[in-house]
Amino acid sequence: TPGSSPRNLLDLDTFSKSDPVVVLFVQVSGSSEWKEFGRTEVIDNTLNPDFVRKFVLDYYFEEKQNLRFDVPPGSHSTLFGAQDFLGQAFVALGEVIGSQRGRLERPLTGVPGKRCGTILLLAEELSNCRDIVTMQLCANKLDKKDFFGKSDPFLVFYRSNEDGTFTICHKTEVVKNTLNPVWQPFTIPVRTLCNGDYDRTVKIDVFDWDRDGSHDFIGEFATSYRELSRAQSQFTVYEVLNPRKKCKKKKYVNSGTVTLLSFSVESEFTFVDYIRGGTQLNFTVAIDFTASNGLPSQPTSLHYVSPYQLSAYALALKAVGEIIQDYDSDKLFPAYGFGAKVPPDGKISHQFPLNNNEENPSCAGIEGVLESYLQSLRTVQLYGPTNFAPIINQVAGTAAQVTDGSQYHVLLIITDGVISDMLQTKEAIVTASSLPMSIIIVGVGPAEFEAMEELDGDEVRLSSRGRYAERDIVQFVPFRDYVDDSGNQVLSMARLAKDVLAEIPEQLLSYMKTRDIKPLQADP
């Protein structure tokens, strides 16, 4: 909920002070279009207004949510001319949340040759976002789908979006060979389930698991958070319906029932609590300089820089980095390359600083990282092998120095794929899983990325020599899944960033929770 307070506004009224109002515009994702979101009240006759009306926005860490605050004079009309304009400020929602105590002051601009004063933005989180639900479900008399045995049922939960589409938000485990499964209790944030809107539809599909991935649809039912929460005092039974069977068969009753056995709610600290309490996200980049990328001077190379378009490496770096940098106060990012022969002596290195400065490998901002990356392409010789472990161990070493929750590290590895030191990498990730860090891997190019899927650990928890990863800290995506035919690069890169960053808040929280680290209390 950003609130706003402009200071020292331009005085436009000849006989009295201005009557300001603030209009919030939100940029439509992936386009240059701005939509009016809302207005504050008009405050008469002041140059230092404190507005009471708040704007309530959905916040997503993984998205760049651009906001524009316009300050027309509040002459109570909706139309105003350029000559009446008091100024405007552009800011990303993440910048407000990532700033100290959720307070950000910005100069107002837009009136040539004049100082327009400043705007102070305050963000706070609404409390219903911090509830966590634990629930358990079972089913009875589900349809039999398997030829030889019974079904292997699992549930998929979807939350509904504003535009009527559905987003998957939870999958239960598969219970093998039964028509009366009892699933394990599971925990999910209320926000993930319904975006904090208690009456929003939650759709639940029942599937029969098949080894080849072509799971059979058994049926579906719909509910809402409010309806689910009634199970705190009674069992709730839902009929599982298959619309196609319902149309075809006159005597069709249902495809079984699902019963909500238990439902409990507790409040938890949120990602925003830690960011407001001062936790810094430290972002490190590692780029693959192995020969399999192709000679950078050739148009077929994954590192090829054309005058018209950034390479896949540069695009992925910008997409992820431009969001993370809002949460890093010094905006200095260590950046490394791996798998190249490095001057002056042509030694193979798996962690050479892109800026060629061993003492201080940090680059200023994402632009600085890009500059150093392009510079390195001109000076090193692409070689091999593709070793991940050295750079993971290096960042883990830094992360291990401060484990009190004030620092959290995110390592972005961009690679063309086939990994040479799989055993060492698994060992490095298992060790890193107990440290305040997450790893994002973006795979570019046409390679098969099976090894990356294993490192991702979403299906099977990663293990090395009998030790299991304490937390799932790796998120992998193939870049090619995000290059859309329409050619809207902005939109496809926003989708890429969204998918790779979506798990970071939960990964940070899982670290804090296992260490029982509470956020520092931000001053009220």
Side-chain angles (χ1 to χ4, degrees):
T1 314
S4 54
S5 313
R7 293 281 170 271
N8 303 318
L9 292 172
L10 268 176
D11 194 351
L12 290 176
D13 288 11
T14 317
F15 301 110
S16 66
K17 304 275 185 262
S18 292
D19 308 329
V21 59
V22 172
V23 186
L24 169 61
F25 292 85
V26 174
Q27 190 170 28
V28 179
S29 182
S31 85
S32 51
E33 184 192 347
W34 293 90
K35 279 204 168 137
E36 181 174 329
F37 184 85
R39 302 174 164 235
T40 62
E41 71 280 16
V42 175
I43 298 185
D44 293 339
N45 199 17
T46 175
L47 300 181
N48 292 298
D50 270 329
F51 294 103
V52 175
R53 189 172 299 156
K54 296 182 166 86
F55 300 116
V56 180
L57 297 150
D58 285 337
Y59 160 66
Y60 301 100
F61 165 75
E62 64 274 16
E63 291 180 24
K64 190 83 172 165
Q65 294 172 272
N66 289 324
L67 311 178
R68 185 181 101 210
F69 294 89
D70 284 7
V71 189
S75 51
H76 299 260
S77 79
T78 52
L79 294 169
F80 54 91
Q83 73 280 6
D84 300 331
F85 196 54
L86 294 174
Q88 65 183 177
F90 293 86
V91 61
L93 181 55
E95 288 180 90
V96 188
I97 287 167
S99 56
Q100 228 178 345
R101 301 201 305 278
R103 296 163 61 91
L104 182 69
E105 194 163 346
R106 272 285 158 89
L108 288 165
T109 59
V111 182
K114 295 209 172 139
R115 290 173 64 177
C116 304
T118 60
I119 186 166
L120 178 66
L121 303 166
L122 304 163
E124 62 181 27
E125 189 170 24
L126 295 181
S127 61
N128 70 351
C129 299
R130 61 185 59 226
D131 290 347
I132 296 268
V133 169
T134 303
M135 60 176 120
Q136 182 174 23
L137 299 103
C138 70
N140 287 305
K141 299 184 179 164
L142 293 175
D143 284 354
K144 178 175 172 314
K145 289 284 182 187
D146 288 353
F147 197 64
F148 294 113
K150 297 174 175 152
S151 294
D152 306 318
F154 67 97
L155 302 176
V156 181
F157 285 68
Y158 304 85
R159 70 163 177 263
S160 59
N161 302 316
E162 299 287 347
D163 60 1
T165 59
F166 286 91
T167 300
I168 184 166
C169 58
H170 182 75
K171 266 187 204 164
T172 66
E173 79 283 10
V174 177
V175 182
K176 291 285 181 73
N177 200 25
T178 175
L179 303 178
N180 303 301
V182 179
W183 289 281
Q184 294 288 325
F186 67 90
T187 298
I188 185 170
V190 170
R191 211 191 126 165
T192 307
L193 190 64
C194 64
N195 239 347
D197 175 352
Y198 291 176
D199 297 304
R200 198 175 281 205
T201 302
V202 175
K203 185 165 84 84
I204 299 161
D205 286 353
V206 188
F207 285 99
D208 164 41
W209 180 85
D210 279 334
R211 185 177 302 281
D212 63 4
S214 62
H215 312 309
D216 298 317
F217 178 69
I218 294 176
E220 64 186 11
F221 60 97
T223 179
S224 66
Y225 174 86
R226 199 178 296 284
E227 199 174 289
L228 289 165
S229 65
R230 294 195 184 112
Q232 290 175 82
S233 50
Q234 72 209 48
F235 285 168
T236 313
V237 181
Y238 296 97
E239 276 196 293
V240 176
L241 298 175
N242 184 327
R244 283 172 63 184
K245 279 194 170 178
K246 203 173 173 184
C247 292
K248 278 186 188 165
K249 297 183 179 174
K250 281 218 167 75
K251 289 186 179 168
Y252 176 78
V253 181
N254 60 39
S255 295
T257 60
V258 167
T259 304
L260 181 58
L261 296 172
S262 64
F263 183 96
S264 59
V265 189
E266 59 181 48
S267 277
E268 286 228 339
F269 293 120
T270 65
F271 176 72
V272 174
D273 289 332
Y274 288 98
I275 297 296
R276 284 193 62 158
T279 296
Q280 286 288 314
L281 294 191
N282 299 299
F283 183 46
T284 303
V285 180
I287 291 179
D288 183 333
F289 280 79
T290 55
S292 50
N293 284 284
L295 271 174
S297 56
Q298 299 297 316
T300 50
S301 169
L302 295 169
H303 281 302
Y304 179 67
V305 182
S306 91
Y308 311 108
Q309 195 178 349
L310 291 170
S311 69
Y313 279 90
L315 283 170
L317 169 63
K318 263 176 84 83
V320 177
E322 285 180 352
I323 290 172
I324 285 196
Q325 68 179 353
D326 289 342
Y327 302 87
D328 186 326
S329 60
D330 66 8
K331 311 254 184 292
L332 293 174
F333 308 119
Y336 298 92
F338 58 90
K341 284 185 168 177
V342 183
D345 48 10
K347 270 208 180 98
I348 296 168
S349 172
H350 294 292
Q351 60 216 78
F352 60 89
L354 295 185
N355 65 3
N356 206 19
N357 182 344
E358 291 286 351
E359 300 301 304
N360 181 10
S362 295
C363 304
I366 296 306
E367 288 309 315
V369 178
L370 274 169
E371 234 168 83
S372 299
Y373 156 63
L374 296 173
Q375 183 57 38
S376 284
L377 280 177
R378 292 194 281 273
T379 54
V380 305
Q381 182 193 345
L382 272 56
Y383 207 70
T386 309
N387 290 356
F388 282 12
I391 191 66
I392 294 173
N393 287 331
Q394 181 169 334
V395 174
T398 311
Q401 290 167 15
V402 183
T403 55
D404 62 1
S406 63
Q407 306 288 331
Y408 192 88
H409 294 262
V410 178
L411 168 61
L412 169 65
I413 299 174
I414 313 177
T415 177
D416 75 338
V418 187
I419 183 167
S420 314
D421 64 340
M422 188 66 175
L423 293 176
Q424 293 87 332
T425 295
K426 283 163 74 167
E427 181 72 12
I429 292 171
V430 169
T431 302
S433 69
S434 62
L435 295 168
M437 70 179 279
S438 292
I439 299 168
I440 295 168
I441 304 173
V442 177
V444 295
E448 290 302 319
F449 291 116
E450 282 107 336
M452 304 300 162
E453 298 285 5
E454 185 185 343
L455 297 179
D456 192 316
D458 278 350
E459 303 296 325
V460 179
R461 181 60 61 91
L462 188 70
S463 65
S464 170
R465 298 191 303 183
R467 276 195 314 151
Y468 279 85
E470 186 182 303
R471 305 155 35 239
D472 171 17
I473 63 165
V474 178
Q475 176 68 354
F476 165 74
V477 298
F479 184 87
R480 57 174 173 248
D481 289 3
Y482 297 88
V483 182
D484 67 0
D485 302 331
S486 71
N488 184 342
Q489 214 171 58
V490 179
L491 199 56
S492 47
M493 287 307 98
R495 280 186 18 246
L496 172 100
K498 185 174 174 175
D499 284 1
V500 292
L501 291 170
E503 291 186 15
I504 300 275
E506 286 303 318
Q507 290 175 0
L508 180 143
L509 289 172
S510 73
Y511 174 79
M512 302 297 187
K513 199 171 172 183
T514 53
R515 298 293 177 284
D516 199 26
I517 296 170
K518 308 236 177 327
L520 291 170
Q521 284 308 305
D523 301 340

